[in-house]
Amino acid sequence: MLKAGPSQEEIRRHNLGTLLRHVHLGGPISRTVLADRMGLNRSTIMALTAELTSAGLVREELPTDTRRAGRPSLVVRPESDRVYVLAFDVAVDRLVAARVGLGGKILDRREAVRTRAGADLDDVVEVLAGLARRIHREAAPDSVCVGVGAAYCGMIRPGDGMVRFGPNMGWVDQAFGAELGLRLGLGLPVSVGNEAHLGALAEHERGVGIGFANLVYLHGDVGVGGGIIVGGKLLDGDGGYGCELGHMIVNPYNGRPCGCGSRGCLEAEVGEQALLDAAGRASELVGHDGIRAVVDAADHGDLAAQNALDRIGDWLGIGVANLINLFNPGLVIFGGMLRDIYRGSAAQVHRRVAANGLLISREKVQLRTSALGNDVTLIGAAELAFSEILASPLEVLARKTS
Amino acid sequence: MLKAGPSQEEIRRHNLGTLLRHVHLGGPISRTVLADRMGLNRSTIMALTAELTSAGLVREELPTDTRRAGRPSLVVRPESDRVYVLAFDVAVDRLVAARVGLGGKILDRREAVRTRAGADLDDVVEVLAGLARRIHREAAPDSVCVGVGAAYCGMIRPGDGMVRFGPNMGWVDQAFGAELGLRLGLGLPVSVGNEAHLGALAEHERGVGIGFANLVYLHGDVGVGGGIIVGGKLLDGDGGYGCELGHMIVNPYNGRPCGCGSRGCLEAEVGEQALLDAAGRASELVGHDGIRAVVDAADHGDLAAQNALDRIGDWLGIGVANLINLFNPGLVIFGGMLRDIYRGSAAQVHRRVAANGLLISREKVQLRTSALGNDVTLIGAAELAFSEILASPLEVLARKTS
């Protein structure tokens, strides 16, 4: 409904959030550039910056690069050491916690390696809270935590962070977000997201996906997840459970069994276990190490490894062709373990996309690997945690420090 | 960028469009209900209605149902006979043209049955223009055509209505929209959309999809197309070519050849030809009649027909399960020939969705047949044609009648 314009107060809050988002995502940036990007005049930018500065969210300083002639424009820089979020990443074989400063810098990162036996909610939350306590002890006394976010390898109910289904850890309807919030004892709610959704958001905001309104992110861990950006926004669907591209069935009649209870899902055909089985290495290294060993062996001429990668690449290419036909994206990103699998099977993936993707749908698409590496889902969790303060900077900060 | 509120003029134009849209989609509607739905007071509604009335877009009258006590509220009604669009539907076996009045009423509908031999652009445009001329002769002299829309069974470039790829008619890069506009000679541009995209929009605005923010529409003609609504908007992708669910590969290694050049596409496994072949009726009736004959035979106990429908339903169910996992929609709609195929194979489709759809993704989804029948794509083309006048009613009308 368009009844009347927003109030001065709403405009101010929106502009403060927008300016802070530019600084948070773009790094140190001059007032001149900010004025240009936001379409506001320099005196307005100066007033907004002054407010954010006195709140302790940004500071202004001379640019480090002053080689150019003339009086240099001050750059606005996020107060990365003072303002931070806690980010967690729960994968099948590792638990990660980090303190991430405004601006996206990982200030402190701690990881606990887990056995693959399904740890229960209590164990996981206990380990994460322990990592967080150690992180907190190291933080400067005047620093402030403005949000908590977590990535989880399963289907998450938005709002309360309930893990509805986490087949690779054996979780069904576990109140992960609520329990972690309680155990942390910070009085802050924990925002939880599906790891691949958050990986897609991270690549879209900070990685190879910057500037793409339509992209498909495939995330390989033990399972295969997806995050799909449609028209600039994450596809969430009615309940927030969309993008489960790992459970697109590509091999219905001869398919491998999948952790979801079905058969022939993309995850079952291109996941870690499928590659290790195909390469005859199921009893050796697992996880990233196992995948890399196969890709390295193929690079060095190991025929069994090459054939295994061709076979996995064939299924991966079928899945990617289907996704290109459905989404007409500008970009397809391979993240997590799929980075290595894609590197080792790119030729086969491209052959399948050429054979099975519609010419018109694929004519402009690019296939790339994730730019954010192993921390892509952790960075996504941090961005989720920052979203509240970026929406209304001063209000959130006042609440956290009161 | 949120800099300042919209001008009074922008607010007025927006409100005129919104009111006209309510009347166009909802039918005769009282000022009281309009005030309620638009969140505006009655005097504003009265002023807006007066403007639209004097422009000849709506009229006010006493409701036909005056049984209730008290002074009845006037109802606002679209000027359906005076303000209309031309809508066209190009399918493989038929060409349809219609005059559709504001409010969505089909006032005049003419159809030319085509042979299936690929008719070229000139033939198709000539037939459509001929149908349109006859429709125009019957229109009242004071009526006004405010837009032209066309649905085409292929991939359409937005903006100029170029058919990039229409495999079932053998078209590649044919300037359909531009040619039709020239041949009609009305001085109006022709908006062209993919038939399944338009079918999805029609069901979303006027059919079983009303109120669903996330839905998947599958359209069966000779091929199988799709229109997918994500967060209330049609998924178009980077180039406007998204939603090609008919070319999702479900049977990569034993699949039937597809018109797109690939193999094992959903279209190849569940389309008309697949069903007729499976039922051993490839040499008998084709099109809707052929499909209905199989479904009727199955209803009457014909085992071959029942087996054929089970087999088609199995592939259809796999495709639907994949779409549910990807989109977490509230609703899946079967339109065109897939209405009959779904009616004849619903049990098998449901079995597959239960087996292959993730429990969390499918727990609230409904499966339904299209409410708009054979004219769903024609109605979608009409809505496309109305979109401009619904965005700025008075400006567009002034241009058309000047």
Side-chain angles (χ1 to χ4, degrees):
Chain A
M1 190 48 45
L2 194 69
K3 283 162 72 183
S7 67
Q8 286 301 314
E9 181 48 36
E10 286 167 324
I11 293 172
R12 180 176 145 276
R13 185 187 309 151
H14 175 87
N15 284 340
L16 285 169
T18 304
L19 197 158
L20 189 59
R21 175 175 293 274
H22 277 290
V23 172
H24 172 65
L25 292 178
I29 183 170
S30 74
R31 285 189 200 154
T32 315
V33 173
L34 279 168
D36 190 43
R37 291 204 188 148
M38 292 179 63
L40 297 172
N41 61 42
R42 290 192 59 173
S43 64
T44 306
I45 294 291
M46 213 188 305
L48 292 169
T49 306
E51 281 203 80
L52 293 174
T53 301
S54 73
L57 289 165
V58 303
R59 67 176 186 276
E60 293 185 279
E61 56 187 32
L62 285 172
T64 48
D65 175 9
T66 51
R67 284 168 301 184
R68 290 196 319 194
R71 197 168 58 122
S73 174
L74 288 175
V75 295
V76 184
R77 188 182 277 282
E79 283 282 11
S80 300
D81 292 321
R82 182 174 177 263
V83 180
Y84 69 92
V85 297
L86 284 178
F88 299 96
D89 187 16
V90 179
V92 176
D93 56 2
R94 69 182 188 282
L95 298 172
V96 186
R99 191 159 66 89
V100 180
L102 188 66
K105 191 173 165 194
I106 297 178
L107 302 167
D108 188 356
R109 180 190 188 284
R110 312 209 173 202
E111 179 166 339
V113 177
R114 297 176 52 225
T115 62
R116 291 199 167 199
D120 70 10
L121 177 63
D122 265 358
D123 296 339
V124 168
V125 165
E126 183 57 42
V127 172
L128 292 176
L131 296 174
R133 272 191 296 274
R134 276 179 274 156
I135 287 173
H136 257 293
R137 274 202 295 270
E138 306 286 325
D142 70 334
S143 62
V144 53
C145 178
V146 296
V148 185
Y152 183 91
C153 54
M155 302 174 81
I156 308 301
R157 184 163 68 199
D160 65 357
M162 169 79 82
V163 174
R164 295 293 315 281
F165 188 49
N168 294 314
M169 285 178 64
W171 287 21
V172 174
D173 288 338
Q174 299 286 308
F176 171 60
E179 285 299 317
L180 181 57
L182 281 175
R183 200 73 62 103
L184 290 172
L186 298 169
L188 290 172
V190 178
S191 300
V192 186
N194 167 275
E195 61 174 356
H197 287 190
L198 295 178
L201 288 172
E203 289 292 339
H204 187 236
E205 294 191 339
R206 297 189 172 276
V208 290
I210 292 175
F212 286 86
N214 298 285
L215 67 81
V216 175
Y217 174 76
L218 296 100
H219 185 77
D221 192 20
V222 173
V224 172
I228 303 171
I229 305 284
V230 174
K233 293 173 70 174
L234 182 76
L235 187 168
D236 50 6
D238 262 17
Y241 308 114
C243 306
E244 286 291 346
L245 54 84
H247 300 287
M248 175 168 59
I249 294 178
V250 290
N251 192 10
Y253 284 110
N254 304 300
R256 294 165 55 93
C258 182
C260 74
S262 188
R263 185 174 278 279
C265 295
L266 185 64
E267 165 170 322
E269 303 297 343
V270 309
E272 172 192 335
Q273 201 55 50
L275 179 65
L276 298 181
D277 286 351
R281 289 163 177 255
S283 58
E284 301 173 30
L285 292 168
V286 296
H288 269 193
D289 295 336
I291 304 272
R292 283 205 198 96
V294 177
V295 175
D296 288 347
D299 275 347
H300 291 90
D302 181 320
L303 264 180
Q306 286 172 354
N307 288 338
L309 278 166
D310 276 356
R311 181 160 152 191
I312 292 334
D314 201 47
W315 290 115
L316 185 56
I318 290 170
V320 170
N322 285 354
L323 293 165
I324 289 172
N325 290 346
L326 280 168
F327 292 99
N328 185 207
L331 181 66
V332 175
I333 308 171
F334 301 93
M337 294 195 203
L338 286 175
R339 276 177 302 156
D340 296 301
I341 291 179
Y342 175 69
R343 281 198 198 106
S345 65
Q348 191 63 23
V349 171
H350 285 247
R351 264 196 293 279
R352 266 296 180 181
V353 168
N356 298 146
L358 293 162
L359 177 63
I360 312 296
S361 308
R362 68 180 156 82
E363 63 188 353
K364 291 183 181 163
V365 72
Q366 298 175 43
L367 275 57
R368 303 275 294 277
T369 53
S370 153
L372 300 175
N374 288 331
D375 281 330
V376 60
T377 51
L378 185 71
I379 292 167
E383 292 305 320
L384 184 63
F386 276 119
S387 56
E388 205 192 348
I389 197 164
L390 296 176
S392 31
L394 304 188
E395 290 72 7
V396 172
L397 197 65
R399 215 156 60 227
K400 307 297 180 200
T401 53
S402 65
Chain B
M1 191 48 46
L2 194 68
K3 283 165 69 183
S7 68
Q8 286 301 315
E9 181 48 35
E10 287 167 325
I11 293 172
R12 178 175 146 276
R13 185 188 309 153
H14 175 87
N15 285 338
L16 285 169
T18 304
L19 197 157
L20 190 60
R21 177 175 292 274
H22 277 290
V23 172
H24 172 64
L25 292 178
I29 184 171
S30 73
R31 286 188 198 156
T32 315
V33 173
L34 280 169
D36 191 45
R37 292 204 187 148
M38 293 179 63
L40 298 172
N41 62 42
R42 290 194 58 175
S43 65
T44 306
I45 294 292
M46 214 187 307
L48 294 168
T49 307
E51 281 202 81
L52 293 174
T53 301
S54 74
L57 289 164
V58 303
R59 66 175 185 279
E60 294 185 279
E61 55 185 33
L62 285 171
T64 48
D65 176 8
T66 52
R67 283 168 301 182
R68 290 195 320 193
R71 198 168 57 120
S73 172
L74 288 175
V75 296
V76 185
R77 186 182 278 281
E79 284 282 12
S80 301
D81 292 322
R82 181 171 179 264
V83 181
Y84 69 93
V85 297
L86 284 178
F88 298 97
D89 188 16
V90 178
V92 176
D93 56 2
R94 68 182 187 282
L95 298 172
V96 186
R99 191 161 65 91
V100 179
L102 188 66
K105 191 173 163 193
I106 297 178
L107 301 167
D108 189 355
R109 179 190 188 286
R110 312 211 173 200
E111 179 166 339
V113 177
R114 298 176 52 226
T115 61
R116 291 200 166 196
D120 71 12
L121 177 63
D122 266 356
D123 296 339
V124 167
V125 165
E126 183 56 42
V127 172
L128 292 176
L131 296 174
R133 273 191 296 275
R134 278 179 273 155
I135 285 172
H136 257 295
R137 275 202 293 271
E138 305 286 324
D142 69 335
S143 62
V144 53
C145 178
V146 295
V148 185
Y152 183 91
C153 53
M155 301 173 82
I156 308 300
R157 184 163 67 199
D160 66 356
M162 168 81 81
V163 174
R164 296 294 315 280
F165 188 49
N168 294 314
M169 285 176 64
W171 286 20
V172 173
D173 289 337
Q174 299 286 310
F176 171 60
E179 285 300 317
L180 181 58
L182 281 175
R183 199 73 62 105
L184 290 172
L186 298 169
L188 291 173
V190 179
S191 300
V192 185
N194 167 275
E195 60 173 357
H197 287 189
L198 295 178
L201 287 172
E203 289 291 338
H204 186 236
E205 294 191 340
R206 298 188 172 276
V208 291
I210 292 175
F212 285 86
N214 299 285
L215 67 82
V216 175
Y217 174 76
L218 296 100
H219 185 78
D221 192 20
V222 172
V224 171
I228 302 172
I229 306 284
V230 174
K233 294 174 68 174
L234 183 76
L235 187 168
D236 49 7
D238 262 18
Y241 306 114
C243 307
E244 286 289 347
L245 54 85
H247 300 287
M248 176 168 59
I249 293 177
V250 290
N251 193 10
Y253 284 109
N254 303 300
R256 295 165 55 94
C258 183
C260 74
S262 187
R263 185 174 280 278
C265 295
L266 186 65
E267 165 170 322
E269 303 296 342
V270 309
E272 172 192 334
Q273 201 55 49
L275 179 65
L276 298 180
D277 286 351
R281 289 163 178 256
S283 58
E284 302 174 28
L285 292 167
V286 295
H288 269 192
D289 296 337
I291 303 272
R292 283 205 198 98
V294 177
V295 176
D296 287 347
D299 275 347
H300 290 90
D302 181 320
L303 264 179
Q306 286 171 356
N307 289 338
L309 279 165
D310 276 356
R311 182 160 152 194
I312 295 322
D314 201 47
W315 290 114
L316 186 55
I318 289 170
V320 169
N322 285 354
L323 294 164
I324 290 172
N325 290 346
L326 280 168
F327 293 98
N328 185 205
L331 181 67
V332 175
I333 308 171
F334 301 93
M337 293 196 204
L338 284 175
R339 277 177 301 155
D340 296 301
I341 289 179
Y342 175 68
R343 281 197 198 107
S345 66
Q348 191 63 23
V349 172
H350 286 247
R351 265 196 293 277
R352 265 296 179 180
V353 168
N356 298 146
L358 293 162
L359 177 63
I360 313 295
S361 307
R362 66 180 156 83
E363 62 188 354
K364 291 184 180 165
V365 72
Q366 298 174 43
L367 275 57
R368 302 276 296 276
T369 53
S370 153
L372 300 174
N374 288 331
D375 282 329
V376 60
T377 51
L378 185 71
I379 292 168
E383 292 306 320
L384 184 62
F386 277 119
S387 56
E388 205 192 348
I389 196 165
L390 295 177
S392 29
L394 304 187
E395 289 74 5
V396 172
L397 197 66
R399 212 157 60 228
K400 305 298 179 199
T401 52
S402 66

